[in-house]
Amino acid sequence: MKKLFGILLLMVMALVIAACSSDSSSDGGEDADASDGGDSGESAESGGGGEGTVEIFSWWTGAGEEDGLLALIDLFEQEHPDITVDNAAVAGGAGTNAKAVLATRMQGDDPPSTFQVHGGAELNEGWVAADKMEPLNDFYEEQGWMDKFPQDLIDMVSKDGNIYSVPVNIHRGNVVFYNKQVFEDNGLEVPTSYDEFIEVADQLQDAGVTPLALGDKEAWTATQIFENILLGELGPDDYKSLWAGDIPFDDDRVVAAAEKFKTILGYVNEDHASRNWQDAAQLVGDGEAAMINMGDWAKGYFSNDLDLETNKDFGYFAFPETDGDFMVITDTFGLPKGVENPDEVKEFLSVLGSKEGQDAFNPLKGSIPARVDADESKYDEYGKDAMADFNESNLTPSLAHGSAAAEGFVTKANQAVNIFVTQLDVDNLINTLKNAASEL
Amino acid sequence: MATFNVWKTIKYLILIVMAVLFLTPVYVILVTSLKPLDEVSLANMWALPSAIDFSSYSHAFSELAPNFMNSVYLVIPATLLSALLGAMNGYVLSKWKFKGSELIFTVILFGMFIPYQSILIPLIQFLRNIELYNSIAGLVLTHVVYGLPITTLMFRNFYANIPDTMLEAAKIDGANFLGIFRHIIIPLSITGFVVVAIWQFTNIWNEFLFAVTITNSDSQPVMVALQNLSGSQIVQWNVQMAGALLAALPTLLVYILLGKYFVRGLLAGSVKG
Amino acid sequence: MAEQAVDRQEQEYPESRPQQPAAQKEKKPKKKISGDQWVAVGFLAPSFILVLIFVYGFIGWTGWVSVSNWNTLVPDFSFAGLKNYIYLFNDYRFQADLRNTVFFTILFIGLVIVMGLGLSILIDQKLRGESLFRNIFLFPMALSFVVTGVVWQWLLNPSTGYNQFLALFGIQPKWYTDTNILAGFEWGSIEFGLPVAIIAVVIAAVWQMTGFSLAMYLAGLRGIPDELREAARMDGASEFQIYKKVILPMLMPITVSVIIIMAHISLKIFDLIYAMTGSGANFVTDVPGVYMFETTFRGNYYANGAAIAIIMLLLVAVFIVPYLLANRRSDG
């Protein structure tokens, strides 16, 4: 017994020493150990973000998105072999974990060199309002980017005339994906108006198919439907005014949108609360459900993961009554204040915002470039379509993804929608939104 | 005799039914991890894979391997230190009570209940001040401190079962505080150490929140890497499940190895006194 | 002090009364101990100091934030009074969280104790395959809550999972998607009662934690001297009576430990629910831990989040205080 204790004690000491030494020598020893364990891919040298290192903070760790990010990093390292890149990605919860880590680090005055943030309120009402970001106007001028990004998009990353981040990609939120076979079997046409949508949904229901798949384990998927109905009801200009606080939430059209939302929720799969959006999309892939409203990252899921063919197995159309509008979800990267080596970070941002950078990243990520002059030939059928729409449509910010309103409001709106999906109480939803409006 | 056998059969039956129920989740994890991604779906969760596919294991392994040693460097010192400190506290709080020792116990025990999400920001600021932020050592310290309440509680209750007469006898033989700890308490604590070590080992190994906030990239433990197998929007469940099994191997090993010791220590009769 | 410890010993081992003389011997060495008492204090000191900083220092910080106006990304430590607390107690979601925590805790702790005790008694019967069974029930503890959450999310999915088997019996529970509240009545803005959905989460948590109480009880059962059971048998007690009158009372201290440890898991539960169900429809599976995480880091309501943390701590006191009082009492 005594011997055992002695051994235990020895082990403790050995390991404490090992842990401490690997800490004090910062990287050397520990890194060697770590990379012995297997090929660590792109693993960079330092944890911090000191001189000669750019730490890129994102929540891109999954298939596709990580490939895109790595391609972008490769491109950067080719151009700047002297700068190392530290890919600090935190996965999970569609970015919630990453946001927690980021917030903790920012509050603790340890900002990463640059970090992923959705354009719009999440950036402007969040980090910019907190005075944590450097303006990038001169940088944009230097790079000659002022006419390379759509003005609507530049507005989304600007506050009070200053530009604060560089958009790298664009996703569209007001897309409905549908199972072509199911539509064909039932002799249905793509609905363009709300009434047509309901008609189609009724026919599907009679045929025993779930009309609309929903997976609202996370509330934003339901909020996404609501915001698209709002966009259709209000039109792009008034939709933006709503989030600016210029139109009250008890406006007749908002109430009408809530009523429509309630009607549409009558057509979703019964087990919606148990599914995430992928599980719901699977219902469409299998033909158990006919349609799903989802951001166009779902396209990547359909074609890569479910092996379905675009425009053959599944098709897509703009959410009813929002044709000509483009609900923008854009990932952007900015320059936090207090970073040690802002020049090197700007080098990275310049690659990120370049035509080559965007064309390296986006085809892999399954998004379209934020620039207007990207090389169309690198994108698939859906991508080309989306790029054309992006250039011609009214760009509107998404509430569900934090672009339309401050995070505080989004959180409350998601809660209100979560309650609404069960209770279907229009008055309650409108009241809650009205009370939360002070957060706008 | 006949009734005795009926009882025995019933006992076995209950145990077997419970065991099967307990194992169904493992079946699902295992089956899913062996499927190619397009076969993974909610509807087919019970179905066996059409062909056994180990690719998700190799994929998961290559992603997890670099972080694996970090977890080892983290979990072993943290487990042993927190167990040792817990034993020391438990010894004092059960056998050397003094005025206010109950209060101190309360003060330490209460620490078990703080919700960790709420102290992340001051924790990081503090660790940065003592220059342990973003290091395994900082994570070790964090886990040791937040493990203290529970290890103290466990050892205190464990030692309460050691009859005081044994200590009295040792005192009469001239043993002092440290002598008793070394020669009587520690040898009697092996079972206690095993239970506490199992607990701390699994908790620290599986812990995610501290790991992800206190360390960045290269010093991150394997649980963070496991989370990073899933993407922000798309999760490959087969790889996720394979990774979960790989990442759980050390804890499973601890259970199998120490579980044996657990029984042996008990059979040695140390607790019966 | 030492006498008190002996009293306690007697309570735990009623049979050890013949050792009474020990209590008298005790008085002599008492003086000699005082030097050792200082060593004892020194033994506690490092842990105590660490806990003071890491627990109380940080709680103090959290408490301070909870009465501040810091509800955006910009830290704002101006005094807000109880505004954040008042907000929470009027908040639909937080009221639902409190309800869910109450029922989750009761069901979870109750089931972990019943299952752990039952299984440990069965395993303690010297049956064959004992170690196999023990390992089967122990192993779920080796998995992380995140993995458990995902697997149980599938198993208790209303359209697949166990329901595919239950369909044979014509039962189709909706598990965690059920939005019904059993025996509900109006309370604040919510319906107070047992949320059916929480049962599904309890099942997953019990699956994972039963092993712990099983191990504790098993150790306790093995620690009970065989002579005790023999003596009871001699007195003509049936097996059932032996358990009821002799064994269960002796396992009380273990039960208390299990309750305390399970209570701290239950009140802080986060990973499991976050991975398994999230907040649930109409917040039927939401808990304060999830709310705090989301409201702090997603909504940037730092002060509200801190207030939730403080309320959670106060809830804990409900468990801890009786335990400590009981401790005091048994110590004389």
Side-chain angles (χ1 to χ4, degrees):
Chain A
M1 290 299 186
K2 235 169 93 184
K3 205 188 267 169
L4 185 93
F5 179 64
I7 293 169
L8 284 180
L9 204 70
L10 254 166
M11 276 171 74
V12 179
M13 283 162 64
L15 277 152
V16 169
I17 291 163
C20 291
S21 65
S22 69
D23 168 53
S24 56
S25 66
S26 187
D27 304 301
E30 187 194 322
D31 236 16
D33 284 346
S35 42
D36 278 349
D39 56 343
S40 49
E42 83 300 332
S43 105
E45 298 245 22
S46 153
E51 283 300 303
T53 305
V54 175
E55 185 193 12
I56 302 157
F57 188 91
S58 73
W59 54 85
W60 285 327
T61 57
E65 53 190 16
E66 187 185 25
D67 303 333
L69 180 60
L70 294 182
L72 189 64
I73 292 174
D74 269 354
L75 184 72
F76 175 74
E77 284 179 336
Q78 277 166 27
E79 288 179 24
H80 301 276
D82 51 320
I83 305 177
T84 32
V85 174
D86 184 2
N87 175 13
V90 175
T96 306
N97 290 337
K99 281 176 189 170
V101 174
L102 179 67
T104 316
R105 288 185 60 178
M106 296 289 269
Q107 302 296 353
D109 292 321
D110 175 42
S113 307
T114 182
F115 60 87
Q116 178 182 5
V117 56
H118 286 137
E122 186 178 316
L123 169 75
N124 299 328
E125 306 307 320
W127 297 118
V128 173
D131 197 25
K132 298 275 188 190
M133 305 302 289
E134 298 280 0
L136 295 171
N137 299 35
D138 297 346
F139 179 64
Y140 264 68
E141 295 287 349
E142 246 170 65
Q143 300 287 333
W145 282 350
M146 293 309 289
D147 57 346
K148 295 296 187 292
F149 294 98
Q151 190 55 44
D152 276 358
L153 191 63
I154 293 186
D155 288 346
M156 278 176 73
V157 296
S158 305
K159 188 178 169 78
D160 304 330
N162 286 323
I163 307 172
Y164 286 98
S165 74
V166 183
V168 59
N169 70 347
I170 301 291
H171 277 298
R172 185 176 191 180
N174 59 331
V175 190
V176 177
F177 292 91
Y178 68 102
N179 185 311
K180 284 211 132 177
Q181 193 63 46
V182 171
F183 265 58
E184 225 166 84
D185 290 351
N186 293 288
L188 297 171
E189 292 285 321
V190 164
T192 54
S193 70
Y194 172 77
D195 291 337
E196 282 177 34
F197 180 85
I198 297 299
E199 235 168 79
V200 166
D202 279 332
Q203 289 183 36
L204 285 163
Q205 205 156 41
D206 291 344
V209 181
T210 304
L212 187 69
L214 173 67
D216 68 339
K217 194 189 156 209
E218 292 167 81
W220 61 261
T221 54
T223 308
Q224 201 166 254
I225 297 179
F226 184 48
E227 77 185 7
N228 287 328
I229 301 172
L230 278 173
L231 174 61
E233 195 71 21
L234 293 164
D237 294 328
D238 282 359
Y239 172 83
K240 286 187 209 169
S241 314
L242 180 68
W243 306 128
D246 299 338
I247 292 179
F249 281 98
D250 48 8
D251 187 281
D252 288 346
R253 290 167 298 170
V254 180
V255 177
E259 291 288 355
K260 286 183 176 174
F261 185 28
K262 180 177 167 179
T263 312
I264 286 181
L265 285 172
Y267 293 100
V268 301
N269 45 304
E270 214 181 301
D271 62 352
H272 57 89
S274 69
R275 291 175 183 262
N276 59 23
W277 74 263
Q278 282 182 78
D279 302 329
Q282 220 161 33
L283 290 177
V284 177
D286 297 343
E288 279 176 52
M291 301 177 277
I292 182 170
N293 165 227
M294 187 41 62
D296 57 13
W297 47 86
K299 191 248 136 201
Y301 181 67
F302 282 123
S303 55
N304 302 338
D305 297 307
L306 298 184
D307 275 329
L308 300 174
E309 214 173 302
T310 315
N311 282 334
K312 187 158 163 277
D313 299 318
F314 71 94
Y316 49 88
F317 56 89
F319 195 90
E321 304 189 356
T322 67
D323 202 19
D325 304 325
F326 195 107
M327 192 70 83
V328 176
I329 296 133
T330 178
D331 292 300
T332 73
F333 285 80
L335 176 62
K337 284 189 173 165
V339 167
E340 278 175 33
N341 48 350
D343 292 336
E344 284 167 342
V345 180
K346 280 184 182 167
E347 292 295 340
F348 177 77
L349 293 180
S350 80
V351 173
L352 182 96
S354 70
K355 190 163 167 254
E356 296 73 29
Q358 304 224 331
D359 283 341
F361 176 82
N362 286 304
L364 291 167
K365 161 83 165 112
S367 46
I368 61 167
R371 287 173 71 109
V372 289
D373 59 348
D375 181 359
E376 246 189 60
S377 68
K378 294 200 163 146
Y379 297 84
D380 61 10
E381 215 178 327
Y382 174 83
K384 283 177 189 146
D385 254 15
M387 283 160 85
D389 284 346
F390 180 62
N391 288 336
E392 291 157 12
S393 308
N394 300 303
L395 306 187
T396 52
S398 156
L399 174 72
H401 298 278
S403 297
E407 296 272 304
F409 180 83
V410 176
T411 310
K412 288 192 175 168
N414 276 333
Q415 290 180 16
V417 166
N418 185 359
I419 297 169
F420 181 77
V421 172
T422 305
Q423 299 188 340
L424 299 174
D425 182 342
V426 172
D427 293 342
N428 193 15
L429 176 69
I430 297 295
N431 271 332
T432 318
L433 290 175
K434 228 170 91 182
N435 290 336
S438 59
E439 317 267 342
L440 281 172
Chain B
M1 226 33 203
T3 51
F4 180 69
N5 276 336
V6 169
W7 271 113
K8 200 157 198 179
T9 318
I10 290 176
K11 283 171 189 167
Y12 270 117
L13 213 66
I14 297 175
L15 279 177
I16 289 169
V17 168
M18 290 309 289
V20 169
L21 281 179
F22 263 68
L23 286 174
T24 46
V26 190
Y27 170 81
V28 172
I29 296 177
L30 209 62
V31 167
T32 308
S33 71
L34 292 170
K35 286 178 187 175
L37 189 62
D38 57 335
E39 280 182 35
V40 179
S41 77
L42 277 172
N44 299 329
M45 59 184 281
W46 297 107
L48 288 164
S50 58
I52 289 188
D53 179 359
F54 282 105
S55 62
S56 33
Y57 280 90
S58 58
H59 179 87
F61 182 78
S62 65
E63 297 277 335
L64 297 183
N67 299 78
F68 193 83
M69 283 318 285
N70 289 337
S71 277
V72 174
Y73 288 138
L74 160 69
V75 78
I76 293 181
T79 302
L80 295 181
L81 279 174
S82 61
L84 191 68
L85 284 172
M88 285 161 62
N89 298 341
Y91 173 52
V92 174
L93 293 172
S94 62
K95 297 296 174 205
W96 294 84
K97 297 186 185 181
F98 51 88
K99 211 176 172 202
S101 66
E102 282 298 311
L103 183 69
I104 289 186
F105 175 61
T106 317
V107 164
I108 293 179
L109 190 66
F110 203 66
M112 187 156 85
F113 295 88
I114 60 165
Y116 300 138
Q117 299 96 325
S118 71
I119 47 92
L120 284 179
I121 294 171
L123 174 68
I124 285 186
Q125 282 165 345
F126 183 77
L127 287 177
R128 190 197 317 282
N129 285 337
I130 57 172
E131 299 198 346
L132 284 180
Y133 178 66
N134 193 14
S135 72
I136 299 280
L139 204 47
V140 169
L141 177 68
T142 308
H143 279 299
V144 168
V145 176
Y146 292 114
L148 274 178
I150 201 154
T151 58
T152 303
L153 171 72
M154 283 178 170
F155 276 111
R156 180 181 172 276
N157 288 357
F158 185 79
Y159 292 150
N161 287 330
I162 295 177
D164 284 352
T165 44
M166 282 179 85
L167 270 72
E168 297 306 327
K171 279 179 206 162
I172 290 164
D173 293 344
N176 63 2
F177 176 87
L178 284 173
I180 296 173
F181 186 60
R182 273 244 304 278
H183 300 296
I184 297 181
I185 298 291
I186 294 283
L188 284 180
S189 327
I190 299 302
T191 24
F193 267 108
V194 169
V195 175
V196 169
I198 287 183
W199 177 265
Q200 283 296 92
F201 190 97
T202 37
N203 269 353
I204 298 172
W205 186 275
N206 289 333
E207 203 278 338
F208 176 72
L209 190 68
F210 286 142
V212 78
T213 38
I214 292 176
T215 56
N216 299 331
S217 40
D218 281 354
S219 48
Q220 281 176 336
V222 73
M223 271 305 138
V224 180
L226 178 64
Q227 273 277 325
N228 282 356
L229 284 179
S230 67
S232 61
Q233 272 139 354
I234 290 171
V235 182
Q236 297 174 302
W237 288 116
N238 51 348
V239 179
Q240 195 70 27
M241 293 298 167
L245 279 181
L246 288 177
L249 282 182
T251 41
L252 286 172
L253 207 68
V254 163
Y255 273 84
I256 292 164
L257 289 182
L258 290 186
K260 225 170 166 186
Y261 214 99
F262 186 74
V263 180
R264 209 181 293 161
L266 285 168
L267 291 182
S270 51
V271 183
K272 289 182 187 172
Chain C
M1 285 291 156
E3 288 117 321
Q4 289 169 3
V6 169
D7 279 357
R8 174 199 178 81
Q9 197 60 47
E10 276 172 13
Q11 279 188 348
E12 277 162 24
Y13 291 90
E15 251 52 39
S16 62
R17 203 152 285 160
Q19 294 165 349
Q20 202 79 11
Q24 272 124 44
K25 262 188 215 162
E26 198 141 307
K27 280 178 182 148
K28 256 185 279 164
K30 211 173 187 176
K31 292 252 158 61
K32 208 181 91 189
I33 295 168
S34 66
D36 280 344
Q37 290 283 12
W38 284 112
V39 186
V41 173
F43 248 48
L44 277 181
S47 306
F48 188 64
I49 292 168
L50 284 174
V51 168
L52 277 190
I53 299 171
F54 277 75
V55 175
Y56 294 90
F58 296 170
I59 289 177
W61 185 88
T62 306
W64 183 36
V65 171
S66 78
V67 291
S68 77
N69 281 310
W70 186 7
N71 275 327
T72 59
L73 274 177
V74 193
D76 174 0
F77 289 107
S78 59
F79 185 66
L82 294 178
K83 191 187 82 187
N84 300 305
Y85 291 90
I86 293 166
Y87 171 81
L88 283 174
F89 282 111
N90 287 318
D91 182 31
Y92 180 89
R93 180 172 183 181
F94 193 67
Q95 290 176 1
D97 288 358
L98 290 178
R99 170 197 68 202
N100 298 343
T101 304
V102 167
F103 285 101
F104 179 83
T105 305
I106 294 172
L107 289 176
F108 170 66
I109 298 181
L111 279 173
V112 163
I113 287 176
V114 170
M115 299 262 298
L117 188 61
L119 289 173
S120 68
I121 289 175
L122 282 176
I123 285 179
D124 195 41
Q125 304 283 314
K126 304 187 172 70
L127 298 176
R128 221 175 297 168
E130 179 195 307
S131 70
L132 176 71
F133 283 121
R134 195 191 54 229
N135 281 333
I136 288 177
F137 297 127
L138 273 179
F139 92 90
M141 276 175 64
L143 298 175
S144 78
F145 265 135
V146 177
V147 178
T148 310
V150 170
V151 179
W152 282 97
Q153 182 203 333
W154 292 8
L155 287 169
L156 297 181
N157 186 293
S159 43
T160 64
Y162 284 130
N163 274 12
Q164 291 184 343
F165 298 104
L166 291 176
L168 300 176
F169 306 99
I171 330 168
Q172 290 287 288
K174 288 166 80 185
W175 299 116
Y176 54 86
T177 61
D178 200 321
T179 50
N180 285 320
I181 308 289
L182 289 184
F185 56 89
E186 290 288 314
W187 182 70
S189 51
I190 61 156
E191 206 182 345
F192 191 86
L194 170 66
V196 179
I198 212 86
I199 295 171
V201 187
V202 169
I203 291 174
V206 167
W207 176 76
Q208 179 142 32
M209 294 319 302
T210 290
F212 181 75
S213 73
L214 173 114
M216 296 272 286
Y217 281 121
L218 207 51
L221 285 171
R222 300 276 157 94
I224 295 172
D226 282 342
E227 302 87 68
L228 259 180
R229 304 182 202 213
E230 283 306 318
R233 266 186 212 117
M234 298 283 237
D235 292 347
S238 69
E239 281 301 305
F240 179 75
Q241 279 176 319
I242 293 177
Y243 275 105
K244 200 180 152 199
K245 296 265 168 66
V246 181
I247 302 205
L248 287 188
M250 289 188 67
L251 292 177
M252 256 330 268
I254 291 180
T255 306
V256 171
S257 293
V258 172
I259 290 178
I260 293 292
I261 290 166
M262 291 304 132
H264 104 276
I265 291 176
S266 150
L267 291 169
K268 289 199 300 192
I269 191 124
F270 168 73
D271 311 33
L272 175 71
I273 288 177
Y274 199 56
M276 183 174 165
T277 62
S279 302
N282 209 9
F283 298 113
V284 280
T285 58
D286 200 46
V287 287
V290 172
Y291 189 13
M292 175 171 62
F293 188 73
E294 282 187 357
T295 206
T296 307
F297 294 116
R298 192 102 215 185
N300 302 321
Y301 294 109
Y302 287 87
N304 278 350
I308 295 175
I310 297 295
I311 296 170
M312 282 166 79
L313 273 173
L314 293 177
L315 283 179
V316 164
V318 174
F319 278 84
I320 283 276
V321 170
Y323 170 71
L324 293 169
L325 285 180
N327 246 344
R328 285 263 161 86
R329 213 174 301 137
S330 73
D331 283 357

